[in-house]
Amino acid sequence: MQKILIEGGHMLNGQVRISGAKNSAVALLPASILADSPVIIEGLPQISDVQLLSDLLEEIGGDVSWDEQTITINPAKMVDMPLPNGKVKKLRASYYFMGAMLGKFKKAVIGLPGGCYLGPRPIDQHIKGFEALGAEVTNEQGAIYLRAKELKGARIYLDVVSVGATINIMLAAVRAKGKTVIENAAKEPEIIDVATLLTNMGAKIKGVGTDVIRIEGVPELHGCRHTIIPDRIEAGTYAIAAAAQGREVIIDNVITNHLEALLAKFREMGIRVEEGDEQLLIAPGNRLKSVDIKTLVYPGFPTDLQQPFTALLTKAENTGVVTDTIYSARLKHIDELRRMNAAIKVEGGSAIVSGPVKLQGAKVKASDLRAGAALIVAGLTANGITEITGVDHIDRGYQRITEKLGHLGANIWREEMDEVEIIQFQNS
Ligand code: EPU
């Protein structure tokens, strides 16, 4: 088990290249199940969630090969193997095996997903969609059983705008009989990426990127080649790190439109932002003004950047209020930031951040992926050494983060934890 150490205070400068989008990757890989011939996906991020899903595709009989960041998945020999336990429980996105296996085999058994604990994360809207398409869905001893004689297109209104439910219903519907309409669908760029892959596989999908998606089922899908979009959350995280502790940082391989909500807040804070072709320049200057943020569904401010942004606000003058309307309990980073001397109060579900404060290095724990990113941003700006445990969470979503930040000038490294530290970590 490793920990990450950061000696704060070193300025970030130079260029960082963004990897493929985690939250696309974790849906694109299961989507390949729906094809009958090889699917090639280029530019995948090298993160542990991708490795787990690639292993799961092999478990159900997929022929999987890797060439650096390109995967070739031949689904021809895949079978409807039940996956009630094991790797499916290690990540949230294993729920996409439900939609994809139901779409292909008309049945699936998938253990209830794990992943970051951000408060309750129900999947009732996914299940509502599968049932509308004709599946019988039961929960038996922690696994979801899905069975259908046949899947028939249906009109499905999502009660909550959900990325996962929108994608999962698309996966189940592309090979159903007839027409499916998903109303109140989510509009995140990752959904468009998955729909692009499915369309290249022969699916008929209209309206992605709007809140009404129309799907005309087809009997078969074929393989194709697809290049994944860049990770807007990884790009946003480096942009926030640059805003907190950078001189001039260029973020390369980014679709700047995907980050408009964050960039608007940067401009309000007095940070210089220049948008180029697939590049973004962040130059913060000396003084940052505080702002309030409220997370919303896309194109609003992304919940996945709320935690690192909170760390940035500790550097800004005056008070900023952070409210997460997607995951109101996504606040576990706050106690850890306080350990580092941050002045943050939680009132009525919002975090009120006062600044500027000079953060102090401390021993802290990443309780989830983006909390980990927040602690890294904090550690970059802090006096002295910050030691971060819970690194497994960070490695689920950020490809080689210590190397990338090191290349920008940060003094950041990994060490193996000794036995005593591991016991303390497990008991904390
Ligand atoms: N919700 C329900 N019922 C459902 C589904 C969702 O009530 O059936 C609620 C959730 O509890 C939440 C809201 O709807 O309050 C939105 O959840 P959504 O379904 O959109 O989230 P998700 O699909 O489970 C994905 C990302 C998350 C990201 C959210 C919101 C993946 C694998 N995960 O989760 O990413 O925070 O969308 O944008 O795509 C991360 O990358 O750190 C991460 C947690």
Side-chain angles (χ1 to χ4, degrees):
M1 204 180 267
Q2 291 185 327
K3 58 185 177 181
I4 289 180
L5 292 99
I6 306 171
E7 184 194 47
H10 297 268
M11 296 305 282
L12 304 183
N13 215 14
Q15 187 163 325
V16 60
R17 187 169 169 83
I18 299 307
S19 304
K22 160 185 166 282
N23 288 345
S24 266
V26 297
L28 295 172
L29 293 173
S32 69
I33 296 171
L34 288 157
D36 293 325
S37 49
V39 175
I40 300 167
I41 307 171
E42 294 171 335
L44 286 166
Q46 290 168 323
I47 53 176
S48 57
D49 272 10
V50 163
Q51 191 53 53
L52 280 170
L53 288 168
S54 158
D55 294 349
L56 281 167
L57 290 172
E58 282 188 318
E59 268 184 46
I60 64 167
D63 184 1
V64 174
S65 61
W66 281 95
D67 179 11
E68 300 200 346
Q69 291 175 215
T70 300
I71 194 171
T72 303
I73 305 155
N74 187 346
K77 294 191 180 137
M78 282 184 184
V79 291
D80 54 357
M81 197 170 90
L83 298 168
N85 290 306
K87 288 187 172 138
V88 285
K89 299 216 157 178
K90 291 203 169 154
L91 78 167
R92 178 108 194 125
S94 53
Y95 55 34
Y96 292 133
F97 274 66
M98 295 180 195
M101 290 182 81
L102 181 65
K104 170 103 167 224
F105 304 115
K106 312 290 172 268
K107 62 177 172 175
V109 177
I110 310 292
L112 275 168
C116 290
Y117 182 78
L118 312 174
R121 297 179 75 184
I123 56 165
D124 55 304
Q125 299 302 306
H126 305 230
I127 290 169
K128 173 180 167 174
F130 298 146
E131 286 176 338
L133 294 170
E136 188 195 319
V137 185
T138 53
N139 179 347
E140 294 170 32
Q141 292 167 339
I144 301 289
Y145 284 67
L146 305 114
R147 314 169 182 86
K149 282 208 184 69
E150 69 168 355
L151 293 174
K152 272 197 191 154
R155 200 174 192 96
I156 300 154
Y157 178 87
L158 296 180
D159 303 319
V160 184
V161 182
S162 158
V163 175
T166 303
I167 293 179
N168 234 342
I169 296 169
M170 271 195 329
L171 295 175
V174 282
R175 288 181 63 162
K177 272 199 180 143
K179 189 169 184 172
T180 297
V181 180
I182 310 173
E183 293 175 319
N184 202 25
K187 295 184 265 200
E188 271 66 2
E190 294 75 19
I191 297 169
I192 302 178
D193 203 24
V194 176
T196 305
L197 172 82
L198 292 170
T199 304
N200 289 339
M201 283 162 58
K204 293 190 175 157
I205 309 176
K206 284 185 188 160
V208 265
T210 76
D211 51 14
V212 182
I213 298 178
R214 294 171 204 280
I215 300 163
E216 191 66 53
V218 294
E220 281 178 7
L221 294 174
H222 50 76
C224 67
R225 183 180 277 269
H226 178 79
T227 302
I228 193 170
I229 56 168
D231 194 315
R232 65 193 166 99
I233 305 301
E234 189 197 18
T237 304
Y238 284 101
I240 290 170
Q245 190 60 29
R247 273 199 197 93
E248 279 201 350
V249 173
I250 293 171
I251 296 167
D252 183 38
N253 190 36
V254 59
I255 299 173
T256 59
N257 266 349
H258 290 172
L259 284 169
E260 281 311 322
L262 174 71
L263 302 183
K265 286 292 162 188
F266 275 181
R267 291 187 174 109
E268 278 179 45
M269 293 176 81
I271 295 165
R272 182 158 67 92
V273 175
E274 285 175 26
E275 295 177 46
D277 189 22
E278 295 185 21
Q279 286 194 337
L280 195 58
L281 176 125
I282 307 291
N286 291 331
R287 294 174 71 175
L288 303 179
K289 283 183 271 179
S290 246
V291 290
D292 297 342
I293 58 160
K294 189 181 263 190
T295 69
L296 294 168
V297 294
Y298 187 82
F301 194 98
T303 170
D304 295 339
L305 290 177
Q306 174 266 109
Q307 291 157 296
F309 199 87
T310 304
L312 169 64
L313 283 178
T314 65
K315 301 256 311 178
E317 285 174 8
N318 282 324
T319 304
V321 180
V322 176
T323 311
D324 197 324
T325 71
I326 310 291
Y327 296 114
S328 55
R330 202 172 200 175
L331 294 170
K332 288 222 173 133
H333 56 303
I334 303 278
D335 280 342
E336 303 303 291
L337 289 175
R338 282 195 192 122
R339 264 184 231 285
M340 299 178 69
N341 200 35
I344 309 180
K345 282 191 291 188
V346 177
E347 268 179 30
S350 293
I352 302 166
V353 189
S354 302
V357 160
K358 188 68 205 165
L359 296 180
Q360 303 298 326
K363 292 188 178 185
V364 287
K365 178 177 173 177
S367 54
D368 58 79
L369 168 59
R370 309 302 172 186
L375 297 176
I376 288 182
V377 171
L380 292 171
T381 74
N383 274 336
I385 307 265
T386 299
E387 257 186 59
I388 305 172
T389 53
V391 169
D392 283 2
H393 287 297
I394 299 171
D395 291 336
R396 286 192 33 234
Y398 291 95
Q399 176 175 330
R400 289 200 282 270
I401 191 164
T402 42
E403 286 84 343
K404 287 190 185 184
L405 283 168
H407 185 71
L408 285 175
N411 192 11
I412 179 169
W413 69 98
R414 290 171 188 253
E415 284 179 13
E416 291 301 326
M417 289 163 70
D418 62 34
E419 265 175 50
V420 176
E421 285 175 319
I422 292 174
I423 293 166
Q424 279 169 349
F425 169 75
Q426 284 163 345
N427 292 335
S428 65

